[in-house]
Amino acid sequence: MSASELQAALQRAVHAGLLPADTEAPVEDNRPWPVVLLIALGAWLAALPLLGVLGLLLGDFIERGAGLYLIGVLLLAGAVVVLRSRHLPVFVEQLALPALLVGGLSLGAGLFRDTSLPTAAAGLSVLSLAVAAVVPRSWLRVLLGTAAAAAFCVANMPRAWDAWFFGSHSRIWLTLHLMLALWLAAGGAQSRLQPRVRALLEPLRAGWLLATLAGLALASGMTMLAGAGLGAGAAGDLARMPWQRGRPLTWSLQGLSLLLTLAAAAWAARQWPALRQPWSAAAAAVLAALAALMPALGATLLALSLTASASRWRLAGAAALAAAWIVGAFYYALSWSLQDKALALVAAGALLGGLAWWGWQGQRAVASAGAAPPAFGPRPRIGIALCMLAVLAVANVGIWRKERLIAQGQPVFIELAPVDPRSLMQGDYMALRFAIPSDVTMPAPGLLQATRPVVLVRRDARGVATLHARPAGAALQAGELLMELTPKNGDWVLVTDAWFFAEGQAERWAAARYGEFRVNRNGQALLVGLRGAALQPL
């Protein structure tokens, strides 16, 4: 966009009341971004050790009394003054960011030390909003809005709500939907505010919504196929319920999720007349049925409809990603069998695919009658075809690798360690545990792991293995193998911690005493079966 076009767009926004009357076009920054990035890195590297030294020198003063509050207020005030100043060197400007972060953390530490958890979290939420109001940086306001929403979520989940809604799952659901309601209320009031206040509120609402969507996704549990890579599961378990029968009020949460989905469909049809078609109504019905099974899905679809209709495509993308995560988390709904879950998702996918084909045929019929041609051309179809081919390629390569490991891997039998008898059988899977030596060095599980820890496996003549820590620099001897550990639920496990089976087969697998693995020379392993006390197949 040229300078004249940008100025004309700003004038139109000012006349429409979207921007303050004194809004000016941003001054073009001619500094190369690599130079700016290196200067910022140098500022952070200089600030963090300095803050650490100050913490050591003022240790007693910070730990006792009002030291944390004084340090926090001074750092926040200095950071705000610097960020509000114009024409500052990049190095000085970047020094304000670690000061802002440390100042907020200092005040938060003091609040959590001296007050209750809800009070401290509420104070941090208000503090984040107050700092956002005086910091003239939109991207910082988005981050501060996210922080304010996260603190608000913590502050509004008191234990007393458990008695009203019969469980922490309902408490989490209620809090996240309250956050969505506040986002909607702020959007409704935004049109009646002064332009300057609107400019302040918009990035705050964006950050608030991002935190809400992240909460809805994480509260639904780990999504399908992500657990092996991400390690720890999510704290919430909304997807594991649909929902325990006999618990009062749980049906209302599912019903509200369904109603929110219908509201999202109605809003989309209002904003886009092209969606006022029978096939669109049928697609909305399918999504509403899914939302009735997934209590967090309705709010996410409503956010998707509102942001997409307002052309806020980045927020709409975040809402779509959260919705996909929640649908994938339905895989772990323990009150359903694997067959029922697969059937429900396949049926929903087939229906949505058929409805999409129906809508596409309708557009072709309109085009052939001489009306305007469809809005999409051959490129999106080519893109969809390429995506489907990529998905099929990735899936089949994964299957081929597993089949190759089963065919060529060496058999290893490892004895099962005792587990809690009350959780041995849960629905359609059996909990497993293999005793990992305590002297094995294991880093914290997570996504950003260059290598995984390994254990040394020594087999006897029958193939039964014992696990040991691998001696540093020692070569493998005859009968020895290495096995990689897998991150799962915040810990490292030997390949998996569960064995899935068909419904009604629990008695058969209760006799399991050994896990049967296939291991290749790279340490990659796969659990292929369970064996009895005499290594007999089950």
Side-chain angles (χ1 to χ4, degrees):
M1 179 181 292
S2 64
S4 58
E5 292 174 338
L6 176 59
Q7 190 63 36
L10 289 176
Q11 290 299 325
R12 290 194 298 270
V14 169
H15 291 316
L18 299 176
L19 291 175
D22 58 350
T23 301
E24 298 178 357
V27 179
E28 185 177 357
D29 190 353
N30 296 320
R31 297 170 298 187
W33 69 263
V35 175
V36 176
L37 180 62
L38 289 175
I39 294 174
L41 178 61
W44 277 82
L45 292 177
L48 293 180
L50 177 60
L51 292 171
V53 171
L54 288 176
L56 292 175
L57 293 176
L58 303 175
D60 293 338
F61 177 68
I62 292 176
E63 292 177 3
R64 298 181 178 88
L68 281 173
Y69 301 104
L70 181 60
I71 295 297
V73 169
L74 290 176
L75 288 174
L76 279 180
V80 169
V81 169
V82 170
L83 291 172
R84 288 182 63 87
S85 302
R86 296 186 178 183
H87 310 299
L88 283 176
V90 178
F91 186 83
V92 177
E93 179 181 314
Q94 292 299 321
L95 284 175
L97 299 180
L100 187 72
L101 177 62
V102 175
L105 291 177
S106 298
L107 287 177
L111 289 173
F112 281 107
R113 182 193 65 188
D114 299 332
T115 63
S116 64
L117 177 64
T119 302
L124 277 182
S125 182
V126 173
L127 176 66
S128 299
L129 295 175
V131 173
V134 296
V135 173
R137 298 286 191 279
S138 293
W139 64 273
L140 264 181
R141 287 173 175 169
V142 172
L143 295 178
L144 290 168
T146 303
F152 178 89
C153 182
V154 175
N156 287 274
M157 288 195 299
R159 293 290 178 182
W161 287 13
D162 289 357
W164 297 353
F165 280 81
F166 305 94
S168 60
H169 305 298
S170 302
R171 178 164 51 91
I172 294 172
W173 186 96
L174 183 61
T175 302
L176 292 170
H177 284 69
L178 176 61
M179 293 167 60
L180 182 69
L182 291 174
W183 177 77
L184 292 172
Q190 194 170 357
S191 60
R192 297 187 291 272
L193 299 174
Q194 295 295 325
R196 191 177 299 276
V197 181
R198 293 185 208 172
L200 164 65
L201 189 58
E202 184 58 33
L204 283 176
R205 290 185 66 239
W208 190 281
L209 180 61
L210 289 174
T212 304
L213 292 172
L216 289 168
L218 293 177
S220 296
M222 185 57 64
T223 195
M224 183 179 181
L225 301 181
L230 296 177
D237 287 310
L238 291 181
R240 294 180 184 272
M241 301 176 78
W243 276 61
Q244 285 95 334
R245 295 176 177 85
R247 282 195 172 190
L249 296 183
T250 54
W251 61 269
S252 64
L253 306 185
Q254 295 172 268
L256 285 173
S257 179
L258 185 150
L259 292 176
L260 290 176
T261 302
L262 295 178
W267 180 263
R270 177 185 176 183
Q271 299 299 112
W272 292 313
L275 294 180
R276 300 169 190 172
Q277 303 290 337
W279 66 269
S280 298
V286 174
L287 293 176
L290 288 176
L293 301 177
M294 307 170 198
L297 184 59
T300 308
L301 293 176
L302 178 60
L304 173 60
S305 177
L306 293 171
T307 52
S309 61
S311 299
R312 302 297 303 274
W313 298 115
R314 293 179 181 178
L315 291 176
L321 180 61
W325 180 285
I326 292 168
V327 173
F330 180 67
Y331 174 79
Y332 295 105
L334 298 183
S335 58
W336 287 52
S337 69
L338 287 174
Q339 292 178 342
D340 292 340
K341 289 181 287 190
L343 180 62
L345 293 179
V346 168
L351 284 173
L352 290 175
L355 293 171
W357 180 83
W358 180 12
W360 178 62
Q361 291 295 322
Q363 284 190 327
R364 290 186 61 185
V366 171
S368 62
F376 56 89
R379 290 186 178 180
R381 301 175 192 173
I382 295 174
I384 293 173
L386 291 177
C387 288
M388 293 179 62
L389 289 175
V391 170
L392 291 174
V394 171
N396 282 278
V397 167
I399 293 172
W400 173 77
R401 292 178 63 183
K402 299 295 184 185
E403 293 289 348
R404 183 181 180 188
L405 179 56
I406 293 173
Q408 301 180 4
Q410 301 187 46
V412 173
F413 303 101
I414 300 177
E415 187 175 7
L416 293 170
V419 296
D420 185 352
R422 293 171 297 178
S423 63
L424 180 62
M425 297 293 178
Q426 300 186 23
D428 48 9
Y429 83 94
M430 183 172 72
L432 302 179
R433 189 165 71 89
F434 302 95
I436 299 174
S438 59
D439 55 348
V440 175
T441 302
M442 293 185 290
L447 182 62
L448 301 178
Q449 293 290 342
T451 59
R452 293 184 175 184
V454 296
V455 293
L456 180 66
V457 175
R458 292 181 179 144
R459 295 176 294 170
D460 61 15
R462 298 187 304 160
V464 176
T466 55
L467 305 181
H468 307 270
R470 181 186 184 184
L476 295 179
Q477 304 297 321
E480 292 183 346
L481 292 170
L482 296 178
M483 287 183 67
E484 284 185 348
L485 300 179
T486 301
K488 184 69 179 292
N489 295 332
D491 201 357
W492 293 98
V493 300
L494 198 65
V495 179
T496 184
D497 62 353
W499 173 255
F500 292 87
F501 50 81
E503 191 173 3
Q505 304 261 330
E507 184 177 354
R508 168 189 175 188
W509 300 106
R513 296 296 179 268
Y514 292 90
E516 181 181 359
F517 295 85
R518 292 291 185 273
V519 186
N520 63 17
R521 60 183 180 181
N522 296 323
Q524 297 173 342
L526 186 67
L527 180 67
V528 299
L530 298 180
R531 297 292 185 103
L535 296 181
Q536 75 276 16
L538 300 178

